[in-house]
Amino acid sequence: MPKMFRIALYGLSLAVSAGFARHGDRIVLGDLETGPSSGRATVSFVRSEAGGWGIEISGGRMPMLSQPEPALIEIYGIREDIRELNAQYESVRRSGPDILGRAEIAYDENTVFVVLDRWSQDGAVITVHRKVNVAGNAPGGFNSSVEFMADTSVQWADLKCMAPGVLYGDPAYNGARSPGGTLNHAAQRFIMREDMLPAPLFSLSFPGGTSVTILDPSPRGDSTVEETKLSKETMTDARFQFGAMGAWQADGSPVTFGFRFPGTMSQYGFGPNAPAESRLIRRFHPIAQGIAHTYEISFRFGRNESFRDMSRNTWRWAWNILDPDVIPIDVEQMRRVLTDHLAAQAATIDGRTAIPFAVATFDTCCPQWNWTMAAMGFVSKNIECADQLLHEGDRDSTARGREMRKTGLSIITSMINALPTVPLQATGYDLATGKPWTGERQEWLAPWLRNATEGMCVLLRAYLRERSRSRVHPEWFVWVRTYTDWLLLQQREDGSFPRRWEPGSSEAAEPTGTMSNCPVPLFVLMAGETGDPAYMEAAVRAADYVWANWGTRGFYAGGASDNPNITDKEAGMLSLEAFLSLYEATRESKWLERAKAAADFTESWIWIWNLPMPVDADDTQLHWKKGVPTIGLQGITARAAGGADEYLDWSASSYAKLYRYTQDAHYLDVARILLHATKSMVALPGRLYGMRGIGWQQEHWSMGPGRSGRGVGGHRFWLPWVSANHLVSITGLEEFDPALFRKLAEGN
């Protein structure tokens, strides 16, 4: 295994637990406040037989953690060789409540590294502030790291690791080649660059309910265009201001975890021609007098926490430390801009109306090849777009509102007419023909459980709202009920549903049950409307299946239709909706607890720190512009770590509901971010961001390192979900609690 982080000598680690410190040669930083004093671990600096100082964390139920050589330096030499210059502290002394450690490491006769560490403690958290001064100059580069080794009783198989948006215990659903995937797990290493993480955080959960979490409490993230494209395996540049964190175990060595600065990582390539072996991406600072090499890292120690509890508690700890700032938007301006833009995209052919599947955000005379593709749910959301136009029609009594209402009704009618039979032939159609799509990517419009069920659920809500205003649409209800009754028959004995069916058939094309959360809100609504207990029974069985198979394990998978069985935020979002709908219908506390658990997982995909765009980037070439906060973005799937979009603002009202039902103010903070911060890249008057006009926004961006580089997306197209979800964050909040909506809209 290549050495991406320093792996300490196994014999030296044994010395820690066998006579590492002489009697009296121990300075205690403090006891970690993780429980009763009798069960607390103690953080100590201990002197070795050689006279230098190392660190030991021992006591209580926590596995003993140690680092005999805290000053860890890696050198990239002029001959492209890698050397490790590691040392114990030469001196350790108190400075008030803190402890200062100092080490000098000679590189050659003209160059010395001076490592200055300040260690502090706050309850169950210890923090080191590191500064490395370089005296002299030399070719090549260097980086440094802060690492700990676990007691040899701890083995790789004992660990459950968590990195937000990348890894939640079980790597089996992350994709083989992802940073948190099965290949890295088999190689016994998870190393994450912090610029691919929604929060620069990595947790290890040990057997017995103890844990340790690494957090960069003051991340910077600076880099360059070339570096973020990973075009070179080894680079040296003073502008690199990002780290990497994780855990690993080499053969015959203890489990080790820590943080390296600048960040080094191992990456498996994607694609059919990707090499079988991973690439080691190393980054260094120049060995130069006066180089700025400083950072701080915090370690939180937990006990008596399940993996789910640890994930929740460490995420909230990171949230409190990073304190994501929300810049309020003008919500009413945003609402009008988005609805005007959405209405303008509607296309009509031979009396059929739909929102095209994809439209270029840049000036072009060539429409996207699939612009006449129109679909329900997921990324096309035609029924939801229609519903938002109906909402605006109710708010605006002018000709503008009347035209939006007409467009919304036409979209719904066109979809029902194009897909009149159940089982559905597809979840969308070709606007040009009114028939099933026969062009490329027919699988995008396949009979997906999620796509169809989302559309039906939105339409049923619209039906009920319209009826309350004395507008009756019996054909809507007949279509929805026909589908829902068919769906009842597809439920399997364990409560699950297939993800996808063959066109016009009850034969499962994808039998896996990861999307079984989707029917729950629809069944709950139908039970309330009809009084038929069969719908509620089906909802409960499906929700129980999702909880037993995913929720109890602390993650959810399979939400994105185009990423089968991959851990993703949309699976958490859909599970949150399922559990909330059952709580609102039954008021049973277990559903609220499960909704909270799903919400806690889902929010951990939200970016809660500002990642700067490459310092040397041409802003006109960036898709995400310099100076625009990244707070509020979310990771998409664990398979594509670092990819980001703003899909979760659809759940703003769900987090507001959790706040109302639990009085936990943190959920209100999440709702506030989802209402305001998620719309940073919508083109508005005076800030078009290179878009073709007001209201446009592209679908996604890359924040983590990769082929396109930071701040650039895989394409520059708008998909209907972008505007639909932005609008749902507004109308959903307003519909749930008008007073709370006004409070949040005003930035409070």
Side-chain angles (χ1 to χ4, degrees), residues 377-447:
F378 189 33
V379 296
S380 192
K381 286 185 177 285
N382 259 239
I383 300 296
E384 200 153 285
C385 290
D387 187 45
Q388 291 307 308
L389 295 176
L390 295 181
H391 270 288
E392 190 67 4
D394 285 339
R395 294 181 71 254
D396 185 350
S397 60
T398 69
R400 169 182 174 272
R402 290 192 295 273
E403 186 62 27
M404 287 186 177
R405 177 171 178 80
K406 178 182 175 182
T407 300
L409 292 174
S410 183
I411 291 171
I412 294 170
T413 298
S414 299
M415 187 68 72
I416 294 174
N417 290 341
L419 302 171
T421 60
V422 176
L424 295 171
Q425 290 291 329
T427 51
Y429 69 102
D430 188 344
L431 180 62
T433 66
K435 304 296 182 182
W437 175 264
T438 58
E440 297 179 39
R441 307 308 298 261
Q442 293 179 34
E443 70 275 14
W444 290 356
L445 303 186

Side-chain angles (χ1 to χ4, degrees), residues 23 33 63 97 100 152 169-170 262 319 324 328 335 369 392 397 436 449 517 537 539 544 569 581 622 646 657 712:
H23 179 71
E33 298 176 8
L100 306 182
T152 55
D170 188 348
W319 184 294
R335 186 200 316 246
W369 62 268
E392 190 67 4
S397 60
L449 171 65
N517 41 29
E537 291 168 6
D544 279 339
K569 75 164 180 290
S581 67
L622 288 171
E646 291 170 331
K657 289 178 180 180
V712 176

Side-chain angles (χ1 to χ4, degrees), residues 686-731:
R687 62 163 221 201
L688 293 184
Y689 295 144
M691 301 284 103
R692 63 195 297 181
I694 295 168
W696 291 97
Q697 180 204 289
Q698 73 184 63
E699 186 196 22
H700 72 276
W701 305 265
S702 176
M703 293 297 152
R707 182 176 58 186
S708 299
R710 186 186 300 171
V712 176
H715 62 74
R716 299 218 73 185
F717 289 91
W718 170 91
L719 272 63
W721 76 258
V722 174
S723 296
N725 285 22
H726 284 335
L727 285 167
V728 168
S729 72
I730 297 171
T731 59

Side-chain angles (χ1 to χ4, degrees), residues 331-332 335 730 733-734 737-745:
V331 173
E332 290 309 315
R335 186 200 316 246
I730 297 171
L733 273 169
E734 187 175 43
D737 188 328
L740 183 60
F741 166 72
R742 287 192 295 272
K743 175 182 176 181
L744 289 174

